[in-house]
Amino acid sequence: MATSRDASGTVKTYLQEMGPSWVAGAIAAGPATMASLIAAGAGYGYDLLWVVVLSAFAGALAQYLAMRLGLLTERGIVGVVEDHLGESWAWILVLDAVIAAGVAQLVIMNTVASVSATITGLDAGIWGIIWAVILAVGLAGSGYRFVELFAKVLVSAVVLAFVASVFVVPIDPAAAASGLVPSVPGGSAAVAAAVLGGAVHITLITMHSYTMRAREWTADEYDLATFDVGISMLVAFGIYSVAIFLVTASVLSDPNLSTVGAAEALGPLVGERAEVLFLLGLGGAAVSTLGGNTIVPPFLLADKLGWGTTVEDSRYRGLLAAFALLSAPGAFIGGEVLGQLVLVLAIGTVGTPFAIAVVLYLLNSGAVPRVNSLPANLAGVALLAVTGGLAANFLRETATIEFFREATAGNVDVLTAAVLSFGVILSIATLGLLVKFFQERVAGTVP
């Protein structure tokens, strides 16, 4: 039986060694998630608090399943998919993740540049170029370790900033408690999907096997990896999400506020300290998310092309630098970032059920030496059902009768059409994968 000293020593060691899930947490705790939380709190009061709490548990579960797959195979997810499902399925996964991460990268850069411009007064376009160069040099030079250290420091600082803001802003405990009762107010499907999409996102699921490989973790680090997921996603990300939501639900009532606008609105309402804390938290979250998101497409593309996934391979290093530099145009998008960020997360939610289905398939096949336990499978299926349901609700709200009427008249909303096409293709792929799994189960030939 372990003594308390042994247990405290183990926890201390784990705190020193944890890291890969913090990179996922850095992406999750970003401006897109913040935008969805602001829209949820300012637009629906405390009503969607249950979704915010659920998102932390769902995010931790998704990362745990992804962690199991990465540790038990000791390979990147794309290579495992190609071996056990085939090349076509691998390309669908790669394109799903690259599209979701690429769109997010541009909008996040827009946010980072806007925040930097607000704080310094320097033009946002110039900041976009500066941040792109910093990313390219930092990532191509130092690779994963640079991102992990960056994520640990900034996520910790961001969480502290928002926890501090909770003590500055008056919260109504009774009203907040009522928000723990599940309800979906009219018109909130996209926002609810975005809130959940911040925690359960295809980029977070697909990147986890690669960040653990970068740390050379194997099945021997199973307990450490589980601890890493719990502290970063369930605790740190959960506190971050709840704190932002409570602040905005308590004092803001304009769902059309931008992330920067929300921070500036807090000043006249509850004091300058709240505004400063919110801006600092927003800036840190935006920068940490930008860095973490940059490494996702290069990981998957390099694995699919048979290249190395560390900076020792010059081809992978080139992919890192290229993706970092290609994010610079995001600073010139302009427009209101809140709606853009919420849409980015909602799009990610549309692509996420397929990634979850892939992970569940592989964890119940010959890809791993120990298949999923029944509780893990039940939790995974529940997660698939929740994300699939929110994605379906979002697509249903997007595919309104008005849209089809406009499309029939030749006035096509290109962005809406693209989102619908993306969702339909991935829905078919997800259903096809589920059918494939059950057919193989019936035939007794699950690979």
Side-chain angles (χ1 to χ4, degrees):
M1 181 176 178
T3 65
S4 59
R5 180 175 296 179
D6 292 336
S8 63
T10 299
V11 171
K12 182 179 180 181
T13 300
Y14 283 1
L15 288 172
Q16 293 172 339
E17 292 297 322
M18 65 182 181
S21 197
W22 283 82
V23 180
I27 297 177
T33 298
M34 187 183 301
S36 67
L37 293 167
I38 291 171
Y44 304 96
Y46 294 107
D47 288 349
L48 294 178
L49 178 57
W50 69 275
V51 178
V52 177
V53 174
L54 175 65
S55 72
F57 284 94
L61 173 60
Q63 290 309 114
Y64 172 75
L65 294 174
M67 176 272 290
R68 274 184 53 80
L69 180 63
L71 284 188
L72 295 178
T73 60
E74 297 183 12
R75 298 181 59 195
I77 188 173
V78 172
V80 178
V81 170
E82 189 161 11
D83 286 350
H84 293 271
L85 280 169
E87 187 172 9
S88 297
W89 292 101
W91 272 118
I92 293 174
L93 182 65
V94 170
L95 292 175
D96 184 5
V98 169
I99 289 171
V103 173
Q105 187 79 358
L106 293 173
V107 177
I108 293 167
M109 175 59 87
N110 189 20
T111 306
V112 172
S114 298
V115 173
S116 300
T118 300
I119 294 174
T120 65
L122 189 63
D123 183 73
I126 296 176
W127 271 115
I129 296 172
I130 291 173
W131 281 117
V133 172
I134 290 174
L135 278 177
V137 173
L139 292 175
S142 302
Y144 169 74
R145 282 293 193 172
F146 171 79
V147 174
E148 185 182 292
L149 177 61
F150 208 52
K152 285 181 179 178
V153 173
L154 282 180
V155 170
S156 298
V158 166
V159 170
L160 288 175
F162 286 120
V163 168
S165 69
V166 168
F167 291 98
V168 176
V169 174
I171 308 293
D172 185 341
S178 68
L180 293 173
V181 179
S183 66
V184 182
S188 67
V191 174
V195 170
L196 189 65
V200 187
H201 196 278
I202 183 172
T203 56
L204 311 184
I205 296 169
T206 54
M207 75 181 293
H208 207 52
S209 58
Y210 300 100
T211 53
M212 290 190 300
R213 287 188 71 202
R215 287 291 299 272
E216 299 182 349
W217 283 6
T218 66
D220 293 336
E221 281 76 33
Y222 194 95
D223 290 342
L224 169 59
T226 303
F227 181 86
D228 187 37
V229 169
I231 294 297
S232 62
M233 290 301 298
L234 189 59
V235 177
F237 176 76
I239 293 173
Y240 162 92
S241 299
V242 171
I244 295 173
F245 179 83
L246 290 178
V247 168
T248 55
S250 298
V251 297
L252 299 179
S253 58
D254 182 1
N256 295 316
L257 282 171
S258 67
T259 46
V260 175
E264 294 173 340
L266 288 173
L269 290 173
V270 291
E272 187 176 336
R273 284 184 300 169
E275 177 185 347
V276 172
L277 287 169
F278 210 84
L279 270 176
L280 289 175
L282 171 60
V287 174
S288 65
T289 301
L290 188 67
N293 193 72
T294 303
I295 68 176
V296 177
F299 269 147
L300 274 68
L301 282 171
D303 191 12
K304 183 66 190 72
L305 296 172
W307 301 350
T309 53
T310 67
V311 290
E312 280 70 32
D313 190 317
S314 59
R315 296 168 298 184
Y316 170 75
R317 190 165 60 245
L319 280 177
L320 274 177
F323 195 71
L325 293 174
L326 286 173
S327 64
F332 299 91
I333 293 176
E336 181 48 66
V337 297
L338 179 65
Q340 296 169 3
L341 289 167
V342 172
L343 182 61
V344 161
L345 283 186
I347 291 173
T349 301
V350 169
T352 297
F354 176 70
I356 295 173
V358 167
V359 171
L360 286 174
Y361 177 97
L362 294 173
L363 285 174
N364 287 280
S365 72
V368 294
R370 301 194 304 273
V371 297
N372 253 7
S373 65
L374 178 60
N377 276 333
L378 290 176
V381 170
L383 181 64
L384 179 60
V386 170
T387 56
L390 286 174
N393 282 337
F394 168 65
L395 289 174
R396 188 175 67 247
E397 282 195 0
T398 302
T400 60
I401 296 176
E402 183 64 27
F403 167 74
F404 284 108
R405 183 181 296 120
E406 291 293 319
T408 303
N411 303 320
V412 178
D413 182 332
V414 177
L415 180 58
T416 303
V419 171
L420 286 173
S421 300
F422 184 64
V424 169
I425 292 171
L426 290 175
S427 297
I428 293 172
T430 303
L431 290 174
L433 185 59
L434 292 175
V435 170
K436 175 180 172 64
F437 176 77
F438 285 113
Q439 286 178 335
E440 291 170 342
R441 271 296 171 118
V442 171
T445 60
V446 176

